[in-house]
Amino acid sequence: MEMKRDKAVVVFSGGQDSTTCLFWALKNFKHVIALCFRYGQKHVREVDVARSIADNAGVEFFEMDMPLIGAIGRNSLTDASLKMDADKPEDSFPNTFVPGRNLFFLSIAAVFARERGIFDLVTGVSQTDFSGYPDCRDSFIRSLNVSLNLAMDEQFVIHTPLMWKDKARTWELADELGVFDIIRTQTLTCYNGIPGDGCGECPACRLRQRGLDQYLSRKKK
Ligand code: ZN
């Protein structure tokens, strides 16, 4: 029996990357569900931003509580007493690293999808701009894909449209998908919780802005 694969679950945070992936999925699948995790992030506003983007795009939106992620590991995205590392330290991870985050998110997303007869998962991870986060690398995603298949005896496919794109190429993809303005104005990437172009100073804003400048100057030529 041939499996029909016209549905996908997108791991969705309302940031630049996952929102670009949401629209990529809308182009490639008939039915898309956005799955958003509440994991004790300092900026719970993220979830509201994500819901409104999904609503505007006419996408089914699910919110899932995962407070254990903030409870078991110490990181500056969930712990208000930690100041975020601006750069990656020489010999370790920046404290914005949430250990196991993509492992947990994708595993939960797979079970969630399977319950609905869906076996295509989409995530916005990128090895190119991975900031030192090991669970954004292609080798991890491939390994997890095999593990999920073995764990549930299914044929999941984890799609990673941004894996080999830097931020400039991610902007380019948004433009190709016709959603450049939506990504630019509605998404929330900023670690200080400011949507659109953000605070301009945190590491996430600087990475996003650098990519945008690169893309726009390339486009002008
Ligand atoms: Zn910022």
Side-chain angles (χ1 to χ4, degrees):
M1 192 185 76
E2 203 188 318
M3 223 191 293
K4 263 187 118 181
R5 314 200 67 136
D6 54 0
K7 296 180 182 174
V9 169
V10 180
V11 177
F12 183 58
S13 71
Q16 177 190 357
D17 295 343
S18 69
T19 305
T20 305
C21 286
L22 185 74
F23 287 102
W24 176 89
L26 279 170
K27 203 181 165 196
N28 289 283
F29 295 90
K30 272 193 199 136
H31 187 76
V32 173
I33 298 178
L35 179 61
C36 182
F37 293 99
R38 204 184 266 277
Y39 60 96
Q41 59 269 59
K42 280 183 228 166
H43 301 293
V44 283
R45 185 157 176 213
E46 245 182 67
V47 181
D48 299 328
V49 167
R51 185 187 295 103
S52 106
I53 294 171
D55 285 351
N56 292 340
V59 171
E60 209 177 325
F61 180 85
F62 275 86
E63 183 185 319
M64 199 160 285
D65 260 321
M66 293 268 288
L68 73 116
I69 288 191
I72 56 176
R74 197 164 139 83
N75 69 82
S76 63
L77 293 193
T78 57
D79 186 338
S81 70
L82 284 179
K83 191 178 172 300
M84 284 175 206
D85 285 337
D87 302 298
K88 183 184 180 307
E90 279 283 306
D91 52 351
S92 66
F93 304 118
N95 66 7
T96 49
F97 175 55
V98 182
R101 181 167 52 176
N102 285 326
L103 172 66
F104 294 130
F105 283 5
L106 284 163
S107 300
I108 301 283
V111 177
F112 172 91
R114 184 183 173 279
E115 285 299 309
R116 289 157 180 80
I118 302 174
F119 300 95
D120 289 85
L121 310 173
V122 183
T123 169
V125 296
S126 168
Q127 174 149 341
T128 313
D129 274 337
F130 79 121
S131 307
Y133 301 169
D135 60 348
C136 290
R137 288 183 293 199
D138 193 50
S139 55
F140 163 70
I141 297 295
R142 284 166 187 267
S143 152
L144 181 63
N145 201 147
V146 172
S147 292
L148 292 174
N149 291 352
L150 291 171
M152 288 175 262
D153 199 15
E154 303 284 4
Q155 291 297 313
F156 288 99
V157 177
I158 305 179
H159 302 268
T160 54
L162 308 182
M163 183 58 78
W164 307 110
K165 292 188 190 303
D166 60 12
K167 281 280 182 274
R169 292 260 176 251
T170 301
W171 282 111
E172 184 178 32
L173 176 61
D175 213 356
E176 284 165 12
L177 292 167
V179 294
F180 180 86
D181 287 337
I182 294 177
I183 306 290
R184 174 113 195 233
T185 59
Q186 294 183 14
T187 60
L188 170 56
T189 307
C190 175
Y191 286 149
N192 290 313
I194 303 167
D197 288 340
C199 75
E201 279 166 20
C202 73
C205 279
R206 279 190 279 144
L207 188 65
R208 172 174 161 141
Q209 189 62 45
R210 203 185 311 137
L212 181 61
D213 292 344
Q214 276 170 9
Y215 173 58
L216 291 177
S217 72
R218 208 185 287 157
K219 203 184 167 186
K220 257 189 251 161
K221 284 174 192 159

